[in-house]
Amino acid sequence: MLNEAIDFIKLYYSETERSEEELVRRLVEVENDIQDNGYYEHTIDELRFGAQVGWRNSNKCIGRLFWQTLQVLDKRELTSEHDIFQGLLEHIDFATNSGRIRPTITIFSQRNVRVWNHQLIRYAGYETANGVVGDPDSVEFTKKCEQLGWQGKGGRFDVLPLVIQIGEREPQVFDIPAEYILEVPIRHPEFEWFKELGLKWYAVPMISNMKLEVGGITYAAAPFNGWYMGTEIGSRNLADDYRYNMLPTIAEKMGLNTSSNSSLWKDRALVELNAAVLYSYKEDEVSIVDHHTAAQQFKRFESNEQTAGRDVTGNWTWLIPPLSPATTHIFHKPYDDERKTPNYFYQKAPY
Ligand code: HEM
Ligand SMILES: N=C(Nc1cccc(CNC[C@@H]2CCCN2)c1)c1cccs1
């Protein structure tokens, strides 16, 4: 921990242009804390810098242009499941902001808090005699919630409860009040029949199962959100045949020839589904970005980093969008997938 701590404090003091004396004073304090108690605490400023640089270092993220705008809610002092639940509701409300989404991270005590959810708001999945109802990606977690006493309604879009665990205690289950959940019904700018599909999606993606690593300290409960890129919903969540699998239905309704691949019926349905998602979020004034704009913003990020004298690292296979990837500059160049810290990482599931 000592080496990571020293490297992080040096990075922080150099990038925030603090004096040599201030740096030395903080290094001595941190080294003493680690020697005496095997641990040290980040100041709120160090924590904010660590969370923002962690985003800047996220190789799979196309949205990094705005890394310095990340809002940080410091909830390290909370110690009860109930207080942490209230902290998560505060995050949802602050981040949602009635649709003008604010990229936000809430940091809970690094010691022993875990949020079991993949995202703070996500739909349940139920295995039934004739197939899965809801989100197939949620089937396992939905079963876990039901084992813990939660009762789902068995619908296509049931919002899962928050599951909070402290240490080895029994995890606590909390339903999110409906007024905290902003959703967008999906309709199409030209196809009147589209709304009859009964599709909707939640406004804010809030990842709650990754850990934030800063200067040798691991924050295992640090949910963060941005806004969606339209393809995540239109090309994956509603399109994958192992998610909501909507392409065949949409193609039928469009009157396309679904019996031959070469009619490109899947591609035509995909484009219309993505157009519908972007149209619906914009009409409801919920933040969203299309993949072309997102790629242009990423290009600006790359040039900003160049100017700052930093090498951009990235994961090409995740940075290219799943719709029309070769229409973006990202597709046509390589990226170095070197892992830097601070950063966000996967961690062992708590169940
Ligand atoms: C502000 C708008 C943002 C947009 C549009 C955006 C976009 C994306 C997209 C499209 C992905 C790929 C997701 C997937 O394919 O499943 C991604 C990945 C990622 N983003 Fe961003 N992002 C944003 C903000 C953020 C913020 C605020 C953070 C953290 C503070 C962040 C950290 C990450 C990380 C760690 C990944 C990789 C996740 C994984 O490995 O599964 N992003 N982002
Ligand atoms: N727009 C977003 N999308 C996003 C970011 C990170 C991770 C994820 C979820 N990725 C996992 C899914 C499920 C399998 C493949 N993709 C989505 C954001 C979520 C939180 C901040 S930005």
Side-chain angles (χ1 to χ4, degrees):
M1 173 191 289
L2 183 57
N3 292 333
E4 292 95 334
I6 291 168
D7 291 347
F8 170 68
I9 299 297
K10 283 180 176 171
L11 179 74
Y12 172 62
Y13 277 75
S14 75
E15 279 200 33
T16 54
E17 289 160 2
R18 283 169 163 74
S19 72
E20 188 66 23
E21 299 87 304
E22 286 177 291
L23 169 61
V24 169
R25 189 178 325 107
R26 180 60 177 146
L27 284 175
V28 165
E29 184 181 28
V30 166
E31 282 166 22
N32 287 341
D33 285 352
I34 292 176
Q35 240 105 49
D36 299 352
N37 340 319
Y39 174 75
Y40 76 106
E41 289 259 339
H42 289 130
T43 65
I44 179 62
D45 291 326
E46 290 165 349
L47 190 60
R48 180 178 304 104
F49 176 79
Q52 291 177 344
V53 173
W55 181 8
R56 189 179 80 197
N57 289 336
S58 296
N59 290 350
K60 296 173 180 175
C61 184
I62 195 172
R64 289 181 272 171
L65 174 62
F66 306 109
W67 67 274
Q68 291 167 300
T69 70
L70 180 69
Q71 305 284 321
V72 178
L73 304 180
D74 179 4
K75 300 290 182 186
R76 287 175 288 174
E77 80 285 352
L78 301 187
T79 57
S80 76
E81 292 88 348
H82 177 266
D83 290 346
I84 289 163
F85 170 59
Q86 293 304 322
L88 291 172
L89 290 182
E90 185 184 327
H91 182 117
I92 294 170
D93 188 42
F94 179 81
T96 304
N97 190 29
S98 309
R100 278 184 62 78
I101 294 171
R102 294 183 276 215
T104 308
I105 184 169
T106 297
I107 296 174
F108 294 103
S109 156
Q110 52 75 39
R111 287 247 166 268
N112 50 8
V113 179
R114 282 303 293 271
V115 177
W116 285 22
N117 304 61
H118 168 268
Q119 293 183 36
L120 298 186
I121 291 175
R122 225 186 180 206
Y123 299 126
Y126 309 90
E127 266 171 344
T128 75
N130 32 18
V132 172
V133 174
D135 191 343
D137 217 45
S138 296
V139 166
E140 189 197 354
F141 181 61
T142 303
K143 281 179 183 156
K144 201 75 215 158
C145 291
E146 290 179 327
Q147 279 162 21
L148 293 171
W150 183 73
Q151 197 60 47
K153 294 195 182 66
R156 277 174 96 194
F157 301 104
D158 299 343
V159 173
L160 286 159
L162 294 170
V163 179
I164 300 162
Q165 182 181 36
I166 296 182
E168 295 312 309
R169 288 170 13 188
E170 185 65 10
Q172 308 290 311
V173 181
F174 302 89
D175 270 317
I176 302 171
E179 56 270 22
Y180 285 87
I181 302 167
L182 181 58
E183 295 175 294
V184 179
I186 308 301
R187 60 276 192 188
H188 189 279
E190 281 97 40
F191 304 156
E192 279 312 303
W193 51 261
F194 202 98
K195 58 179 160 310
E196 264 90 67
L197 298 174
L199 298 175
K200 65 176 172 176
W201 205 256
Y202 50 91
V204 192
M206 299 172 277
I207 298 297
S208 48
N209 65 349
M210 295 184 83
K211 64 182 176 186
L212 168 60
E213 204 126 294
V214 180
I217 292 176
T218 297
Y219 297 98
F224 61 86
N225 75 278
W227 49 79
Y228 265 117
M229 182 161 82
T231 53
E232 297 181 77
I233 304 165
S235 297
R236 303 302 311 276
N237 300 342
L238 296 179
D240 286 348
D241 60 13
Y242 55 85
R243 299 293 297 283
Y244 282 75
N245 188 28
M246 292 306 300
L247 298 184
T249 307
I250 291 167
E252 290 295 329
K253 294 266 187 177
M254 288 171 68
L256 303 177
N257 171 9
T258 57
S259 61
S260 99
N261 289 330
S262 53
S263 74
L264 298 191
W265 64 269
K266 262 189 196 176
D267 314 71
R268 291 170 190 262
L270 198 57
V271 166
E272 298 308 337
L273 177 51
N274 277 272
V277 167
L278 291 167
Y279 170 77
S280 304
Y281 274 65
K282 286 194 182 304
E283 211 181 48
D284 285 1
E285 296 183 315
V286 174
S287 306
I288 195 164
V289 64
D290 65 84
H291 49 296
H292 305 292
T293 304
Q296 289 169 345
Q297 292 168 341
F298 186 67
K299 193 167 171 56
R300 285 176 52 206
F301 170 72
E302 291 177 84
S303 80
N304 290 352
E305 290 302 288
Q306 207 68 38
T307 305
R310 293 188 291 261
D311 295 330
V312 170
T313 56
N315 180 320
W316 188 90
T317 62
W318 278 67
L319 287 171
I320 58 168
L323 178 61
S324 316
T327 64
T328 72
H329 79 283
I330 300 169
F331 185 90
H332 302 279
K333 61 178 284 189
Y335 288 89
D336 171 12
D337 194 14
E338 185 202 348
R339 309 303 148 85
K340 296 178 192 164
T341 66
N343 213 325
Y344 298 88
F345 298 101
Y346 299 140
Q347 57 185 339
K348 204 172 68 62
Y351 59 90

